[in-house]
């Protein structure tokens, strides 16, 4: 695994080192020791799978408040998706900076998302499967989980295409700027 810093503070692209042979390939998708060497304290407490049947399905934008620390490692197990991150950590040098990265199952690249960043993704192929490694447990009905719409004018997010499938919850979030007034 090789970690490459991205434009958002403490956000990394994790590039696997594939061992290929006639059977296919093998790679490590998580190694606590390698993360620790890069000053990332991450211990998996929960994994989540998101299956997205249709192309141009959007999930997000989701984030947790500062009271709930929730770092993620995201990978695409099947298909292709466009991931968007926004740094919402007010004390961060990259506060409100946006990042867009495409992940697909062919390359196997993973994305480390630090707590305090909002994330959302748009599937670019049908039957896209996204896996999340989480370093905290999901707390059902917690008020610490928040979100905003993909078309929130405060951020002017540049999706490659308008979503065709989106949940009622995600489409009905209020604008972010209304929350901070």
């Amino acid at each position: 695994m090789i970690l490459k810093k991205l434009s958002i503070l403490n956000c990394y692209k994790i590039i696997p080192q594939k061992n290929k042979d006639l059977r296919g390939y093998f790679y490590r998708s998580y190694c606590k020791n390698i993360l620790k060497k890069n000053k990332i304290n991450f211990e998996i407490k929960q994994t989540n799978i998101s299956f997205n049947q249709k192309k141009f399905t959007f999930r997000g934008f989701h984030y947790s408040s500062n009271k709930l620390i929730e770092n993620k490692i995201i990978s695409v197990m099947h298909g292709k998706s466009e991931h968007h991150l926004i740094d919402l950590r007010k004390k961060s040098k990259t506060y409100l900076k946006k990042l867009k990265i495409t992940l697909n199952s062919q390359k196997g690249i993973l994305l480390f998302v630090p707590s305090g960043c909002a994330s959302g993704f748009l599937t670019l192929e049908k039957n896209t499967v996204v896996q999340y490694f989480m370093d905290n447990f999901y707390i059902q009905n917690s008020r610490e989980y928040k979100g905003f719409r993909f078309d929130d004018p405060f951020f002017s997010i540049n999706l490659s295409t308008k979503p065709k499938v989106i949940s009622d919850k995600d489409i009905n979030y209020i604008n972010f700027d209304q929350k901070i007034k």
Side-chain angles (χ1 to χ4, degrees), residues 22-39:
L22 60 100
R23 300 169 292 176
Y25 60 83
F26 172 88
Y27 67 87
R28 186 178 304 169
S29 60
Y30 172 80
C31 180
K32 186 175 179 177
N33 289 338
I34 292 173
L35 293 173
K36 204 172 204 176
K37 283 180 187 175
N38 287 275
K39 298 180 181 158

Side-chain angles (χ1 to χ4, degrees), residues 32-174:
K32 186 175 179 177
N33 289 338
I34 292 173
L35 293 173
K36 204 172 204 176
K37 283 180 187 175
N38 287 275
K39 298 180 181 158
I40 298 171
N41 186 19
F42 189 95
E43 187 172 327
I44 297 171
K45 293 191 178 169
Q46 183 173 311
T47 60
N48 303 316
I49 300 287
S50 168
F51 172 72
N52 305 277
Q53 191 171 14
K54 298 192 178 197
K55 185 176 181 178
F56 304 132
T57 295
F58 187 81
R59 291 184 185 253
F61 276 89
H62 303 142
Y63 64 100
S64 58
S65 72
N66 291 336
K67 293 177 186 175
L68 180 65
I69 304 300
E70 186 178 73
N71 298 295
K72 306 171 194 168
I73 295 176
I74 301 172
S75 66
V76 172
M77 304 306 295
H78 185 270
K80 184 177 182 181
S81 60
E82 174 183 288
H83 290 259
H84 293 261
L85 303 178
I86 302 171
D87 189 349
L88 299 179
R89 300 167 292 175
K90 290 184 179 179
K91 295 180 180 178
S92 170
K93 294 176 188 175
T94 56
Y95 178 60
L96 297 181
K97 185 161 184 69
K98 297 181 281 188
L99 171 75
K100 176 173 145 180
I101 185 169
T102 301
L103 300 177
N104 65 61
S105 56
Q106 297 297 318
K107 292 186 179 177
I109 292 172
L110 299 97
L111 179 63
F112 178 79
V113 180
S115 185
C117 290
S119 65
F121 70 87
L122 178 71
T123 62
L124 301 177
E125 294 179 1
K126 64 181 183 176
N127 298 323
T128 295
V129 178
V130 179
Q131 181 177 37
Y132 299 80
F133 296 113
M134 311 294 289
D135 73 349
N136 207 344
F137 297 104
Y138 176 74
I139 303 167
Q140 194 164 3
N141 300 321
S142 173
R143 292 183 181 180
E144 304 306 322
Y145 299 112
K146 303 180 184 309
F148 54 87
R149 288 192 332 272
F150 75 93
D151 59 354
D152 189 321
F154 184 79
F155 294 109
S156 300
I157 298 152
N158 185 23
L159 297 179
S160 61
T161 191
K162 187 175 179 179
K164 292 185 179 175
V165 179
I166 189 167
S167 72
D168 288 340
K169 178 182 171 185
D170 287 352
I171 200 66
N172 288 313
Y173 279 126
I174 63 172

